[in-house]
mmCIF file of all heavy atoms in Angstrom:
data_model
loop_
_atom_site.group_PDB
_atom_site.id
_atom_site.type_symbol
_atom_site.label_atom_id
_atom_site.label_comp_id
_atom_site.label_asym_id
_atom_site.label_seq_id
_atom_site.Cartn_x
_atom_site.Cartn_y
_atom_site.Cartn_z
ATOM 1 N N ARG K 627 -10.254 -85.617 28.140
ATOM 2 C CA ARG K 627 -10.286 -85.609 29.593
ATOM 3 C C ARG K 627 -9.034 -84.976 30.192
ATOM 4 O O ARG K 627 -9.062 -84.339 31.238
ATOM 5 C CB ARG K 627 -10.399 -87.069 30.070
ATOM 6 C CG ARG K 627 -10.640 -87.298 31.535
ATOM 7 C CD ARG K 627 -10.665 -88.793 31.850
ATOM 8 N NE ARG K 627 -9.503 -89.506 31.302
ATOM 9 C CZ ARG K 627 -8.309 -89.573 31.900
ATOM 10 N NH1 ARG K 627 -8.117 -89.018 33.064
ATOM 11 N NH2 ARG K 627 -7.315 -90.234 31.337
ATOM 12 N N LEU K 628 -7.917 -85.146 29.466
ATOM 13 C CA LEU K 628 -6.620 -84.730 29.991
ATOM 14 C C LEU K 628 -5.983 -83.767 28.992
ATOM 15 O O LEU K 628 -5.893 -84.073 27.809
ATOM 16 C CB LEU K 628 -5.747 -85.986 30.131
ATOM 17 C CG LEU K 628 -4.660 -86.051 31.191
ATOM 18 C CD1 LEU K 628 -5.241 -85.867 32.581
ATOM 19 C CD2 LEU K 628 -3.936 -87.391 31.085
ATOM 20 N N LEU K 629 -5.536 -82.609 29.500
ATOM 21 C CA LEU K 629 -4.851 -81.634 28.647
ATOM 22 C C LEU K 629 -3.375 -81.615 28.982
ATOM 23 O O LEU K 629 -2.996 -81.503 30.149
ATOM 24 C CB LEU K 629 -5.459 -80.242 28.890
ATOM 25 C CG LEU K 629 -4.726 -79.059 28.255
ATOM 26 C CD1 LEU K 629 -4.801 -79.110 26.735
ATOM 27 C CD2 LEU K 629 -5.310 -77.745 28.772
ATOM 28 N N LEU K 630 -2.537 -81.741 27.956
ATOM 29 C CA LEU K 630 -1.090 -81.569 28.107
ATOM 30 C C LEU K 630 -0.712 -80.331 27.308
ATOM 31 O O LEU K 630 -0.921 -80.299 26.082
ATOM 32 C CB LEU K 630 -0.320 -82.778 27.541
ATOM 33 C CG LEU K 630 -0.191 -84.031 28.409
ATOM 34 C CD1 LEU K 630 -1.528 -84.600 28.803
ATOM 35 C CD2 LEU K 630 0.648 -85.092 27.704
ATOM 36 N N THR K 631 -0.165 -79.318 27.965
ATOM 37 C CA THR K 631 0.177 -78.093 27.233
ATOM 38 C C THR K 631 1.356 -77.390 27.886
ATOM 39 O O THR K 631 1.572 -77.520 29.086
ATOM 40 C CB THR K 631 -1.043 -77.151 27.130
ATOM 41 O OG1 THR K 631 -0.720 -76.051 26.278
ATOM 42 C CG2 THR K 631 -1.482 -76.614 28.485
ATOM 43 N N GLY K 632 2.135 -76.693 27.084
ATOM 44 C CA GLY K 632 3.296 -75.996 27.632
ATOM 45 C C GLY K 632 4.176 -75.452 26.537
ATOM 46 O O GLY K 632 3.690 -75.081 25.466
ATOM 47 N N SER K 633 5.480 -75.429 26.827
ATOM 48 C CA SER K 633 6.453 -74.852 25.896
ATOM 49 C C SER K 633 7.100 -75.916 25.018
ATOM 50 O O SER K 633 7.763 -75.602 24.040
ATOM 51 C CB SER K 633 7.546 -74.128 26.683
ATOM 52 O OG SER K 633 8.297 -75.043 27.474
ATOM 53 N N LEU K 634 6.937 -77.179 25.382
ATOM 54 C CA LEU K 634 7.694 -78.272 24.757
ATOM 55 C C LEU K 634 7.207 -78.651 23.364
ATOM 56 O O LEU K 634 6.094 -79.162 23.211
ATOM 57 C CB LEU K 634 7.608 -79.527 25.646
ATOM 58 C CG LEU K 634 8.477 -80.708 25.192
ATOM 59 C CD1 LEU K 634 9.875 -80.588 25.782
ATOM 60 C CD2 LEU K 634 7.865 -82.047 25.587
ATOM 61 N N ASN K 635 8.073 -78.432 22.369
ATOM 62 C CA ASN K 635 7.833 -79.049 21.075
ATOM 63 C C ASN K 635 8.235 -80.509 21.154
ATOM 64 O O ASN K 635 9.056 -80.885 21.993
ATOM 65 C CB ASN K 635 8.644 -78.329 19.989
ATOM 66 C CG ASN K 635 8.075 -76.970 19.668
ATOM 67 O OD1 ASN K 635 6.898 -76.855 19.327
ATOM 68 N ND2 ASN K 635 8.883 -75.935 19.800
ATOM 69 N N TRP K 636 7.684 -81.329 20.291
ATOM 70 C CA TRP K 636 7.954 -82.775 20.358
ATOM 71 C C TRP K 636 9.206 -83.103 19.534
ATOM 72 O O TRP K 636 9.126 -83.812 18.528
ATOM 73 C CB TRP K 636 6.724 -83.560 19.914
ATOM 74 C CG TRP K 636 5.648 -83.574 20.972
ATOM 75 C CD1 TRP K 636 5.489 -82.668 21.983
ATOM 76 C CD2 TRP K 636 4.590 -84.521 21.140
ATOM 77 N NE1 TRP K 636 4.407 -83.001 22.764
ATOM 78 C CE2 TRP K 636 3.830 -84.133 22.262
ATOM 79 C CE3 TRP K 636 4.196 -85.652 20.443
ATOM 80 C CZ2 TRP K 636 2.715 -84.827 22.710
ATOM 81 C CZ3 TRP K 636 3.072 -86.368 20.884
ATOM 82 C CH2 TRP K 636 2.346 -85.953 22.006
ATOM 83 N N THR K 637 10.316 -82.564 19.997
ATOM 84 C CA THR K 637 11.602 -82.797 19.333
ATOM 85 C C THR K 637 12.590 -83.352 20.351
ATOM 86 O O THR K 637 12.462 -83.105 21.557
ATOM 87 C CB THR K 637 12.191 -81.491 18.757
ATOM 88 O OG1 THR K 637 12.663 -80.662 19.835
ATOM 89 C CG2 THR K 637 11.150 -80.703 17.961
ATOM 90 N N THR K 638 13.573 -84.086 19.855
ATOM 91 C CA THR K 638 14.577 -84.661 20.743
ATOM 92 C C THR K 638 15.398 -83.569 21.431
ATOM 93 O O THR K 638 15.715 -83.668 22.615
ATOM 94 C CB THR K 638 15.492 -85.617 19.942
ATOM 95 O OG1 THR K 638 14.657 -86.622 19.342
ATOM 96 C CG2 THR K 638 16.514 -86.282 20.822
ATOM 97 N N GLN K 639 15.721 -82.500 20.687
ATOM 98 C CA GLN K 639 16.463 -81.392 21.305
ATOM 99 C C GLN K 639 15.691 -80.799 22.478
ATOM 100 O O GLN K 639 16.257 -80.534 23.551
ATOM 101 C CB GLN K 639 16.748 -80.298 20.259
ATOM 102 C CG GLN K 639 16.630 -78.865 20.784
ATOM 103 C CD GLN K 639 17.870 -78.005 20.644
ATOM 104 O OE1 GLN K 639 18.753 -78.271 19.859
ATOM 105 N NE2 GLN K 639 17.941 -76.934 21.416
ATOM 106 N N ALA K 640 14.400 -80.564 22.286
ATOM 107 C CA ALA K 640 13.595 -79.957 23.352
ATOM 108 C C ALA K 640 13.573 -80.855 24.587
ATOM 109 O O ALA K 640 13.738 -80.385 25.716
ATOM 110 C CB ALA K 640 12.175 -79.690 22.860
ATOM 111 N N ILE K 641 13.405 -82.149 24.360
ATOM 112 C CA ILE K 641 13.296 -83.100 25.465
ATOM 113 C C ILE K 641 14.613 -83.246 26.218
ATOM 114 O O ILE K 641 14.643 -83.305 27.445
ATOM 115 C CB ILE K 641 12.841 -84.481 24.924
ATOM 116 C CG1 ILE K 641 11.409 -84.385 24.382
ATOM 117 C CG2 ILE K 641 12.964 -85.567 25.985
ATOM 118 C CD1 ILE K 641 11.050 -85.505 23.418
ATOM 119 N N GLN K 642 15.708 -83.291 25.470
ATOM 120 C CA GLN K 642 16.990 -83.621 26.093
ATOM 121 C C GLN K 642 17.821 -82.402 26.485
ATOM 122 O O GLN K 642 18.687 -82.498 27.356
ATOM 123 C CB GLN K 642 17.819 -84.504 25.151
ATOM 124 C CG GLN K 642 17.201 -85.876 24.946
ATOM 125 C CD GLN K 642 18.045 -86.789 24.076
ATOM 126 O OE1 GLN K 642 19.077 -86.378 23.551
ATOM 127 N NE2 GLN K 642 17.614 -88.029 23.933
ATOM 128 N N GLN K 643 17.586 -81.262 25.821
ATOM 129 C CA GLN K 643 18.514 -80.146 26.055
ATOM 130 C C GLN K 643 17.885 -78.848 26.532
ATOM 131 O O GLN K 643 18.547 -78.048 27.188
ATOM 132 C CB GLN K 643 19.291 -79.849 24.767
ATOM 133 C CG GLN K 643 20.177 -80.985 24.327
ATOM 134 C CD GLN K 643 21.091 -80.570 23.192
ATOM 135 O OE1 GLN K 643 21.804 -79.576 23.282
ATOM 136 N NE2 GLN K 643 21.055 -81.307 22.113
ATOM 137 N N ASN K 644 16.622 -78.601 26.154
ATOM 138 C CA ASN K 644 16.044 -77.296 26.487
ATOM 139 C C ASN K 644 15.425 -77.269 27.875
ATOM 140 O O ASN K 644 15.048 -78.297 28.420
ATOM 141 C CB ASN K 644 14.930 -76.943 25.498
ATOM 142 C CG ASN K 644 15.438 -76.662 24.095
ATOM 143 O OD1 ASN K 644 16.634 -76.659 23.853
ATOM 144 N ND2 ASN K 644 14.519 -76.440 23.187
ATOM 145 N N ARG K 645 15.291 -76.054 28.408
ATOM 146 C CA ARG K 645 14.435 -75.826 29.581
ATOM 147 C C ARG K 645 13.002 -75.696 29.072
ATOM 148 O O ARG K 645 12.707 -74.775 28.291
ATOM 149 C CB ARG K 645 14.820 -74.513 30.275
ATOM 150 C CG ARG K 645 16.251 -74.418 30.656
ATOM 151 C CD ARG K 645 16.456 -74.740 32.105
ATOM 152 N NE ARG K 645 17.860 -74.616 32.443
ATOM 153 C CZ ARG K 645 18.357 -74.815 33.641
ATOM 154 N NH1 ARG K 645 17.549 -75.144 34.644
ATOM 155 N NH2 ARG K 645 19.636 -74.705 33.881
ATOM 156 N N GLU K 646 12.128 -76.593 29.509
ATOM 157 C CA GLU K 646 10.769 -76.652 28.983
ATOM 158 C C GLU K 646 9.813 -77.059 30.088
ATOM 159 O O GLU K 646 10.233 -77.620 31.104
ATOM 160 C CB GLU K 646 10.666 -77.724 27.878
ATOM 161 C CG GLU K 646 11.653 -77.610 26.736
ATOM 162 C CD GLU K 646 11.168 -76.693 25.623
ATOM 163 O OE1 GLU K 646 10.125 -76.036 25.796
ATOM 164 O OE2 GLU K 646 11.854 -76.637 24.589
ATOM 165 N N ASN K 647 8.544 -76.816 29.855
ATOM 166 C CA ASN K 647 7.511 -77.303 30.767
ATOM 167 C C ASN K 647 6.346 -77.908 30.002
ATOM 168 O O ASN K 647 6.046 -77.508 28.887
ATOM 169 C CB ASN K 647 7.007 -76.175 31.684
ATOM 170 C CG ASN K 647 6.272 -75.094 30.915
ATOM 171 O OD1 ASN K 647 5.114 -75.260 30.544
ATOM 172 N ND2 ASN K 647 6.944 -73.979 30.642
ATOM 173 N N VAL K 648 5.719 -78.896 30.637
ATOM 174 C CA VAL K 648 4.433 -79.432 30.165
ATOM 175 C C VAL K 648 3.510 -79.532 31.374
ATOM 176 O O VAL K 648 3.820 -80.217 32.353
ATOM 177 C CB VAL K 648 4.577 -80.832 29.533
ATOM 178 C CG1 VAL K 648 3.204 -81.373 29.126
ATOM 179 C CG2 VAL K 648 5.501 -80.794 28.328
ATOM 180 N N LEU K 649 2.416 -78.814 31.306
ATOM 181 C CA LEU K 649 1.382 -78.919 32.330
ATOM 182 C C LEU K 649 0.444 -80.049 31.978
ATOM 183 O O LEU K 649 0.033 -80.189 30.826
ATOM 184 C CB LEU K 649 0.548 -77.634 32.338
ATOM 185 C CG LEU K 649 0.921 -76.583 33.344
ATOM 186 C CD1 LEU K 649 0.757 -75.222 32.725
ATOM 187 C CD2 LEU K 649 -0.011 -76.699 34.543
#
Side-chain angles (χ1 to χ4, degrees):
Chain K
R627 188 182 50 83
L628 209 59
L629 171 67
L630 279 58
T631 187
S633 65
L634 186 87
N635 287 305
W636 285 23
T637 72
T638 302
Q639 141 122 20
I641 294 160
Q642 293 183 356
Q643 296 189 53
N644 291 356
R645 305 261 181 179
E646 306 273 7
N647 66 78
V648 177
L649 264 142

